[in-house]
Amino acid sequence: MAILQAQNIIKSFGKLEVLKGINLSVEKGEVIAVIGPSGSGKSTFLRCLNKLETVQNGTIILDNDYIVKDGKYTKDKDLKPILSKMGMVFQQFNLFPHKSVLQNVMEAPVIVNKQDKEEAKQNALKLLKEVGLSDKTESYPCNLSGGQQQRVAIARALAMDPQIMLFDEPTSALDPELTGEVLNVMKDLAKQKMTMIVVTHEIGFAKEVASKVIFMDEGHIIEEGTPKDVLENPKHERTIKFLQRVLN
């Protein structure tokens, strides 16, 4: 059963067509790794899924609810609860600098979902333990490493109890030694059967964790399949060239 469907997604910035009819179906519990060169439309596609960017045409369905149908969006008041089922983690951590780690994770459930503060606090503490940051609850973002900040960002997204998590190159702003701690949290989420779409340059992570790999180039999905199919036996010349460049 597909939890998310994107059909014929077209996105332009002015005269520049960035997405040229993207189709993707995501099953519950799947981990989709999206790879491809810079400028291929990967991040734009992710941002279109949760309406951070609006599409010119296409249909996006999440859990049987329409976000957009043939280019026409569901009304805002009906759309908010649908979009809240999607968590998003960005390249830059986007934490509130003036709030503690605990406050960052509690903020959205209390403000957006009107969750009881004590309930939100207990849930935040549980999530921070899961991402290995129980000892940092009172710290502020400026006192954390990049890897720790990104783990807080993941906990913050999970605090809204999403049905699907979107990751936009979550390790690209990190030093190599900090990348592993973030990827380990994502691997744990995959083991818990969290549905995820991950735009990434980490081919090793895609090979180990993804159930499906998508290779994008110039606004098209060029190739998709299992990690073994796409990463070890690519069919398309463009995929072969890309992998030769990034793996050598």
Side-chain angles (χ1 to χ4, degrees):
M1 172 70 187
I3 188 168
L4 178 73
Q5 291 173 290
Q7 299 161 358
N8 191 36
I9 300 302
I10 292 172
K11 170 65 183 173
S12 300
F13 294 105
K15 291 182 178 175
L16 179 67
E17 196 172 50
V18 180
L19 300 177
K20 303 169 183 175
I22 298 288
N23 293 289
L24 179 65
S25 181
V26 183
E27 302 289 316
K28 193 170 173 55
E30 265 193 318
V31 178
I32 312 276
V34 186
I35 63 170
S38 296
S40 59
K42 307 183 301 294
S43 293
T44 300
F45 174 58
L46 214 60
R47 292 171 67 85
C48 286
L49 291 176
N50 64 1
K51 210 196 168 193
L52 288 175
E53 300 286 357
T54 54
V55 302
Q56 272 68 48
N57 205 356
T59 296
I60 300 170
I61 307 167
L62 176 62
D63 197 24
N64 294 322
D65 290 317
Y66 284 96
I67 293 171
V68 59
K69 184 177 183 181
D70 299 327
K72 291 184 173 58
Y73 280 90
T74 298
K75 287 178 185 165
D76 272 354
K77 69 178 175 61
D78 299 322
L79 194 53
K80 278 183 181 169
I82 302 169
L83 292 176
S84 73
K85 296 177 184 179
M86 269 192 251
M88 178 110 180
V89 177
F90 301 87
Q91 295 178 31
Q92 303 300 334
F93 323 117
N94 292 358
L95 299 176
F96 297 116
H98 59 291
K99 291 184 182 292
S100 70
V101 164
L102 184 61
Q103 289 169 331
N104 263 281
V105 179
M106 286 175 60
E107 177 88 355
V110 171
I111 301 298
V112 180
N113 284 359
K114 307 290 186 255
Q115 194 173 13
D116 173 75
K117 273 193 177 174
E118 186 56 34
E119 188 184 340
K121 180 181 177 182
Q122 293 308 317
N123 190 45
L125 290 170
K126 176 171 129 332
L127 289 167
L128 287 167
K129 184 178 181 183
E130 285 177 17
V131 300
L133 291 172
S134 289
D135 58 336
K136 299 293 183 184
T137 55
E138 299 307 315
S139 299
Y140 284 80
C142 62
N143 297 320
L144 302 179
S145 70
Q148 289 169 332
Q149 289 188 60
Q150 194 60 296
R151 284 186 280 153
V152 175
I154 293 171
R156 181 181 62 180
L158 290 170
M160 292 294 282
D161 196 23
Q163 296 198 15
I164 184 167
M165 286 281 283
L166 310 178
F167 292 87
D168 187 8
E169 299 193 24
T171 59
S172 66
L174 301 178
D175 295 334
E177 69 263 29
L178 299 178
T179 294
E181 63 189 50
V182 173
L183 293 179
N184 284 337
V185 169
M186 294 168 66
K187 287 174 189 175
D188 286 343
L189 286 177
K191 284 177 192 160
Q192 294 165 31
K193 300 296 182 199
M194 170 60 76
T195 310
M196 298 192 274
I197 304 177
V198 185
V199 171
T200 185
H201 291 298
E202 301 288 338
I203 302 298
F205 171 83
K207 189 179 281 191
E208 183 185 344
V209 180
S211 36
K212 187 191 290 179
V213 176
I214 286 167
F215 174 69
M216 282 183 70
D217 190 30
E218 295 183 350
H220 295 280
I221 292 178
I222 304 293
E223 199 159 344
E224 70 177 280
T226 65
K228 191 170 182 64
D229 288 339
V230 177
L231 300 176
E232 295 178 29
N233 305 294
K235 311 272 188 299
H236 199 284
E237 187 182 345
R238 187 68 192 85
T239 319
I240 294 166
K241 282 186 176 170
F242 172 79
L243 288 170
Q244 282 173 343
R245 202 172 75 242
V246 298
L247 294 174
N248 289 341

